Amino acid sequence: MSSGLSLRAACGAAVLSVLLLPGCQVMQPKVDAPTGVSYGDAKAVETVTNEFGSTDLQMIAERMTGSLLESAVLSGRPTLTLAPVRNKTSEYIDTKSIMDSIQTRLIKSNKVRFTRSMDEMQTGVEELQRQNQSGLYRNAGKAKMGNMVGAQYTLEGEIGSIVKQAGSVKDVYYKMTLKLYDVSAGTIEWQEEKEIRKTTRR
Amino acid sequence: MVMKHIETRFLRRLALVAVPLALACQPMPGAAQPAPAAAPAPSYAASTGIAAKLMVRDSVRDLRVQSLRSQRRNDVMVVQMEIENTSGLNSRLYYRFRWLDADGMQAGDDEAWKPLHFMGRQNQFVKGVAPGPQAADFRIEMSAESP
């Protein structure tokens, strides 16, 4: 009799605990699965492989921006535009991403203005044509043709690398060079380079 | 009689000089107490003034910041730091600048951590340029561990 009672009590406790447990769980502001995915510091030093990585991009962008900002060529808030950066390394590098980082920092410094680059021109022209030639817009407030500002300087550059391997040692040397050309005079008004060496020993 | 008169005058003059001198040597009530000896600079900085600009996360082992100077170039703050490896062993440092505006608010975004390799007993200069004219002060975050 008593053993039957205790069995029923145990079953009741088990059912109650199953019902109550989800209510006691601590809610976290995340949804995850046991895959090992986690967020990290985007500014941390990345040395997963010796190929071009996020730290290289960030170090190049900081060096180039810092050097330009302390240069007197930026006095008077001149207009700049970006030209494509040649990738002369043996690997794929998104050079547009490097230049975008440099452009972001320069614009946030408020010491320069940027005009549309050649890559971005088509979108601007299409928008101007839409406002001026479609007949859909009122005259008041629409962007007029022929008011674009020409850039005084262009930022041009290239990135190259030297890769050497001997036995278990692999050495990669990157060099990014950036030049600021005066568009009308064709002269180089500023130039900087950043070197990076990465060595892997297996 | 004349001698006694001279002696009295001499003693009066002596008293006139000695009393103010004695008062000057006494601690004045309510006067500031002598300042306690300044805390010594930590091992990673050459002075307490330099240490105040450094944010050392854990340890920088045998690295020591020997000098720190700043100036404005083209209206942008430029900082130069000289770091010495006081040990004969190679060492690695991770660092980044943090820029502050005149109100103590962070100016610009976080910089990327940068690695720096030191050979034994090597000195290196590190330069940082502020993200814009709004930066008026700085800190340097340092760590010997990989962040």
Side-chain angles (χ1 to χ4, degrees), chain A residues 41 43-45 55 58-59 62 65-75 105 108-111, chain B residues 73-76 78 94 96 108-115 127 129-134 146-147:
Chain A
D41 180 4
K43 306 291 186 184
V45 175
T55 301
Q58 289 162 344
M59 287 199 299
E62 278 182 21
T65 315
S67 174
L68 248 180
L69 286 178
E70 67 172 313
S71 159
V73 75
L74 293 195
S75 54
R105 289 164 189 274
K108 287 173 101 169
S109 76
N110 209 27
K111 291 188 76 73
Chain B
R73 286 186 193 159
N74 195 30
D75 200 26
V76 171
V78 180
Y94 298 89
R96 65 176 172 181
D109 299 324
D110 281 345
E111 277 191 5
W113 284 94
K114 287 166 278 288
K127 196 169 87 170
V129 182
Q134 74 276 22
S146 182

Side-chain angles (χ1 to χ4, degrees), chain A residues 11-12 18 45 63 73 92 104 106 130-131 140 153 176 198:
Chain A
C11 285
V18 167
V45 175
R63 162 67 73 86
V73 75
Y92 170 74
T104 304
L106 288 174
R130 190 162 70 101
Q131 291 193 26
Y153 300 103
M176 169 120 185
K198 295 163 92 173

Side-chain angles (χ1 to χ4, degrees), chain B residues 2 10 25 34 37 50 53 56 62 71-72 74 77 91 104 111 113 117 122 146:
Chain B
V2 174
F10 174 74
C25 293
I50 291 174
K53 297 288 182 193
V56 176
D62 296 313
Q71 62 174 200
R72 289 190 90 82
N74 195 30
M77 193 174 205
S91 189
E111 277 191 5
W113 284 94
H117 181 76
Q122 189 187 13
S146 182

Side-chain angles (χ1 to χ4, degrees), chain B residues 10-132:
Chain B
F10 174 74
L11 283 172
R12 272 188 195 156
R13 280 185 182 171
L14 193 67
L16 278 171
V17 174
V19 169
L21 266 178
L23 282 172
C25 293
Q26 292 277 330
M28 294 292 285
Q33 294 296 312
S43 61
Y44 55 79
S47 72
T48 50
I50 291 174
K53 297 288 182 193
L54 305 179
M55 297 161 67
V56 176
R57 278 179 66 231
D58 33 40
S59 144
V60 286
R61 300 197 183 118
D62 296 313
L63 300 177
R64 182 179 159 92
V65 179
Q66 297 288 25
S67 69
L68 199 56
R69 60 189 70 229
S70 71
Q71 62 174 200
R72 289 190 90 82
R73 286 186 193 159
N74 195 30
D75 200 26
V76 171
M77 193 174 205
V78 180
V79 176
Q80 180 183 277
M81 166 172 66
E82 184 189 3
I83 309 168
E84 183 188 358
N85 182 6
T86 59
S87 151
L89 304 171
N90 291 355
S91 189
R92 189 174 291 277
L93 173 74
Y94 298 89
Y95 74 94
R96 65 176 172 181
F97 286 83
R98 315 287 299 256
W99 302 97
L100 307 169
D101 66 16
D103 299 321
M105 303 290 282
Q106 183 171 333
D109 299 324
D110 281 345
E111 277 191 5
W113 284 94
K114 287 166 278 288
L116 195 60
H117 181 76
F118 285 85
M119 292 183 280
R121 309 279 174 209
Q122 189 187 13
N123 269 43
Q124 291 210 51
F125 287 98
V126 170
K127 196 169 87 170
V129 182

Side-chain angles (χ1 to χ4, degrees), chain A:
Chain A
M1 179 69 179
S2 66
S3 67
L5 266 176
S6 64
L7 187 66
R8 285 170 66 186
C11 285
V15 169
L16 197 65
S17 64
V18 167
L19 289 172
L20 284 176
L21 262 177
C24 297
Q25 278 182 345
V26 179
M27 295 297 287
Q28 296 284 349
K30 63 175 183 175
V31 177
D32 65 356
T35 53
V37 176
S38 60
Y39 280 93
D41 180 4
K43 306 291 186 184
V45 175
E46 177 264 306
T47 52
V48 178
T49 67
N50 65 5
E51 277 126 28
F52 194 84
S54 62
T55 301
D56 305 320
L57 187 152
Q58 289 162 344
M59 287 199 299
I60 287 172
E62 278 182 21
R63 162 67 73 86
M64 297 301 179
T65 315
S67 174
L68 248 180
L69 286 178
E70 67 172 313
S71 159
V73 75
L74 293 195
S75 54
R77 204 162 174 253
T79 44
L80 273 66
T81 193
L82 296 179
V85 170
R86 289 179 297 280
N87 177 11
K88 294 168 76 178
T89 68
S90 53
E91 61 184 292
Y92 170 74
I93 295 173
D94 186 357
T95 54
K96 179 79 169 63
S97 184
I98 302 173
M99 295 309 286
D100 280 346
S101 288
I102 293 171
Q103 189 181 31
T104 304
R105 289 164 189 274
L106 288 174
I107 286 178
K108 287 173 101 169
S109 76
N110 209 27
K111 291 188 76 73
V112 295
R113 290 178 301 155
F114 271 89
T115 62
R116 284 182 181 274
S117 65
M118 276 183 269
D119 293 346
E120 299 161 333
M121 201 61 191
Q122 188 59 33
T123 324
V125 171
E126 283 172 9
E127 179 59 24
L128 272 175
Q129 286 173 342
R130 190 162 70 101
Q131 291 193 26
N132 287 282
Q133 295 171 8
S134 67
L136 295 169
Y137 296 89
R138 288 183 302 186
N139 271 335
K142 77 177 178 189
K144 302 279 190 304
M145 294 285 243
N147 279 339
M148 280 196 182
V149 176
Q152 292 169 260
Y153 300 103
T154 54
L155 260 180
E156 298 179 34
E158 63 181 41
I159 182 164
S161 69
I162 298 170
V163 182
K164 291 208 169 179
Q165 190 156 10
S168 60
V169 179
K170 185 180 180 187
D171 184 78
V172 186
Y173 166 84
Y174 293 104
K175 188 177 79 171
M176 169 120 185
T177 310
L178 207 58
K179 299 173 186 182
L180 188 75
Y181 283 94
D182 184 311
V183 175
S184 64
T187 50
I188 299 173
E189 295 299 318
W190 167 91
Q191 182 165 340
E192 184 61 90
E193 64 181 28
K194 170 70 180 169
E195 297 169 292
I196 295 170
R197 159 155 275 131
K198 295 163 92 173
T199 309
T200 312
R201 289 179 177 82
R202 290 184 193 279

